[in-house]
Amino acid sequence: MQKEDIYKDEFIKKLLSDVELEEPSTDFTKNVMDDVMQDWLENSVSVKKRMPLKRLFILIAIVLLAVVILLGTDVHSIVASWDHPFIQQLNAILIEPIHNLLMVAFNRIVSLPPIVYIIMIAGLSLIVFDNLVKKMLHQS
């Protein structure tokens, strides 16, 4: 099939018969890629990786488990009953202050009014709902 057979209109045939395609220079691709690379170097993009939620939940679970163990077993009194001087010093410097701090924090959390818990649960529910809606909108 010839080039003129494709175009039915005489005006277009005449217009296209006078037009010649230009050949790009031999270093055209190199010049374009150099421009693209220069632009990329000037406007580089940096991506911050967030901690995956799974790792964050595992970290929180480990911390909560340690707190429950320290509060539930009364570790500092068990360690205080040992007669080794290093363990006695470790208990006085590290374990007993942590235990006392956790007990004070636990007692303050337990003594909060119920409205605080309701507000916290409502806020967390809104955050979860917002994330679910965003995921549903991105999938559709």
Side-chain angles (χ1 to χ4, degrees), residues 5 12 17 27 33 35 43 61 79-80 82 97 107 114 118 124 134 136 138:
D5 293 340
I12 293 178
S17 65
D27 58 345
M33 292 309 293
D35 289 346
N43 304 321
V79 173
W82 295 350
N107 289 334
I118 293 171
L124 288 173
K134 283 181 184 176
M136 288 173 52
H138 285 292

Short mmCIF file of all heavy atoms in Angstrom, two decimals, residues 5 12 17 27 33 35 43 61 79-80 82 97 107 114 118 124 134 136 138:
data_model
loop_
_atom_site.label_atom_id
_atom_site.label_comp_id
_atom_site.label_asym_id
_atom_site.label_seq_id
_atom_site.Cartn_x
_atom_site.Cartn_y
_atom_site.Cartn_z
N ASP A 5 -2.31 6.37 -0.62
CA ASP A 5 -3.57 5.62 -0.52
C ASP A 5 -4.19 5.75 0.86
O ASP A 5 -5.40 5.60 1.01
CB ASP A 5 -3.33 4.16 -0.83
CG ASP A 5 -2.96 3.95 -2.29
OD1 ASP A 5 -3.25 4.85 -3.10
OD2 ASP A 5 -2.39 2.91 -2.58
N ILE A 12 -4.51 17.00 2.22
CA ILE A 12 -3.57 16.31 3.11
C ILE A 12 -2.50 15.60 2.28
O ILE A 12 -1.32 15.61 2.64
CB ILE A 12 -4.32 15.33 4.04
CG1 ILE A 12 -5.21 16.13 4.99
CG2 ILE A 12 -3.35 14.45 4.80
CD1 ILE A 12 -6.03 15.30 5.92
N SER A 17 3.07 15.36 0.97
CA SER A 17 4.06 15.06 -0.07
C SER A 17 5.22 16.06 -0.04
O SER A 17 6.34 15.72 -0.42
CB SER A 17 3.41 15.04 -1.44
OG SER A 17 2.94 16.34 -1.77
N ASP A 27 24.20 12.43 18.10
CA ASP A 27 24.28 12.45 19.56
C ASP A 27 22.99 12.99 20.20
O ASP A 27 22.99 13.47 21.31
CB ASP A 27 25.49 13.26 20.02
CG ASP A 27 25.46 14.69 19.49
OD1 ASP A 27 24.68 14.96 18.57
OD2 ASP A 27 26.23 15.51 20.02
N MET A 33 19.46 12.50 27.18
CA MET A 33 19.73 11.80 28.44
C MET A 33 20.59 12.65 29.38
O MET A 33 20.40 12.62 30.60
CB MET A 33 20.40 10.45 28.17
CG MET A 33 19.49 9.45 27.48
SD MET A 33 17.89 9.25 28.30
CE MET A 33 18.38 8.48 29.81
N ASP A 35 20.44 15.93 29.54
CA ASP A 35 19.50 16.91 30.11
C ASP A 35 18.64 16.29 31.19
O ASP A 35 18.40 16.88 32.25
CB ASP A 35 18.60 17.48 29.00
CG ASP A 35 19.35 18.41 28.07
OD1 ASP A 35 20.48 18.83 28.42
OD2 ASP A 35 18.80 18.71 26.98
N ASN A 43 17.18 18.11 41.02
CA ASN A 43 15.93 17.93 41.75
C ASN A 43 15.80 16.49 42.24
O ASN A 43 14.82 15.81 41.97
CB ASN A 43 14.73 18.25 40.84
CG ASN A 43 14.81 19.64 40.27
OD1 ASN A 43 15.21 20.57 40.95
ND2 ASN A 43 14.44 19.78 39.01
N ALA A 61 4.62 -4.54 71.83
CA ALA A 61 4.28 -5.76 72.57
C ALA A 61 5.41 -6.19 73.48
O ALA A 61 5.18 -6.62 74.62
CB ALA A 61 3.92 -6.87 71.58
N VAL A 79 14.96 -10.08 93.35
CA VAL A 79 16.39 -9.81 93.20
C VAL A 79 16.97 -9.30 94.52
O VAL A 79 18.12 -9.62 94.86
CB VAL A 79 16.61 -8.77 92.06
CG1 VAL A 79 18.06 -8.33 91.98
CG2 VAL A 79 16.17 -9.36 90.72
N ALA A 80 16.20 -8.55 95.30
CA ALA A 80 16.69 -8.02 96.58
C ALA A 80 16.96 -9.13 97.59
O ALA A 80 17.77 -8.97 98.50
CB ALA A 80 15.70 -7.03 97.14
N TRP A 82 18.46 -11.88 97.01
CA TRP A 82 19.72 -12.53 96.73
C TRP A 82 20.84 -11.81 97.48
O TRP A 82 20.80 -10.61 97.71
CB TRP A 82 20.02 -12.53 95.24
CG TRP A 82 19.04 -13.35 94.43
CD1 TRP A 82 18.10 -14.21 94.90
CD2 TRP A 82 18.92 -13.37 93.01
NE1 TRP A 82 17.39 -14.75 93.88
CE2 TRP A 82 17.87 -14.26 92.70
CE3 TRP A 82 19.57 -12.73 91.98
CZ2 TRP A 82 17.48 -14.54 91.40
CZ3 TRP A 82 19.19 -13.00 90.68
CH2 TRP A 82 18.15 -13.90 90.39
N PRO A 97 14.38 1.43 90.97
CA PRO A 97 13.83 2.70 90.45
C PRO A 97 12.86 2.50 89.28
O PRO A 97 11.83 3.18 89.20
CB PRO A 97 15.06 3.48 90.00
CG PRO A 97 16.18 2.90 90.77
CD PRO A 97 15.84 1.47 91.01
N ASN A 107 -0.45 3.24 88.82
CA ASN A 107 -1.46 3.76 89.76
C ASN A 107 -2.14 5.02 89.21
O ASN A 107 -3.35 5.21 89.40
CB ASN A 107 -0.83 4.05 91.12
CG ASN A 107 -0.47 2.78 91.86
OD1 ASN A 107 -1.08 1.73 91.62
ND2 ASN A 107 0.54 2.84 92.71
N PRO A 114 -13.20 7.56 83.87
CA PRO A 114 -13.59 6.76 82.68
C PRO A 114 -13.69 7.58 81.39
O PRO A 114 -13.47 7.04 80.30
CB PRO A 114 -14.96 6.20 83.06
CG PRO A 114 -15.01 6.26 84.54
CD PRO A 114 -14.14 7.39 84.96
N ILE A 118 -12.65 6.66 77.40
CA ILE A 118 -13.61 6.77 76.30
C ILE A 118 -13.04 7.65 75.19
O ILE A 118 -13.11 7.31 74.00
CB ILE A 118 -14.96 7.33 76.81
CG1 ILE A 118 -15.61 6.30 77.73
CG2 ILE A 118 -15.88 7.68 75.64
CD1 ILE A 118 -16.82 6.81 78.47
N LEU A 124 -8.50 6.58 68.89
CA LEU A 124 -7.87 5.45 68.20
C LEU A 124 -8.80 4.86 67.14
O LEU A 124 -8.35 4.49 66.06
CB LEU A 124 -7.45 4.38 69.20
CG LEU A 124 -6.25 4.74 70.09
CD1 LEU A 124 -6.05 3.67 71.16
CD2 LEU A 124 -5.01 4.91 69.27
N LYS A 134 -8.92 5.41 53.71
CA LYS A 134 -7.87 5.77 52.75
C LYS A 134 -7.47 4.57 51.90
O LYS A 134 -7.29 4.68 50.70
CB LYS A 134 -6.65 6.32 53.48
CG LYS A 134 -6.81 7.74 53.96
CD LYS A 134 -5.56 8.21 54.65
CE LYS A 134 -5.73 9.59 55.23
NZ LYS A 134 -4.54 10.02 55.99
N MET A 136 -9.31 1.93 51.20
CA MET A 136 -10.42 1.59 50.31
C MET A 136 -10.48 2.55 49.13
O MET A 136 -10.75 2.14 48.00
CB MET A 136 -11.72 1.59 51.09
CG MET A 136 -11.84 0.42 52.03
SD MET A 136 -13.28 0.49 53.12
CE MET A 136 -14.60 0.74 52.00
N HIS A 138 -7.95 4.21 47.80
CA HIS A 138 -6.81 4.00 46.91
C HIS A 138 -6.98 2.74 46.07
O HIS A 138 -6.46 2.65 44.97
CB HIS A 138 -5.51 3.90 47.71
CG HIS A 138 -5.02 5.21 48.22
ND1 HIS A 138 -4.57 6.20 47.39
CD2 HIS A 138 -4.94 5.73 49.47
CE1 HIS A 138 -4.22 7.25 48.09
NE2 HIS A 138 -4.43 6.99 49.37
#
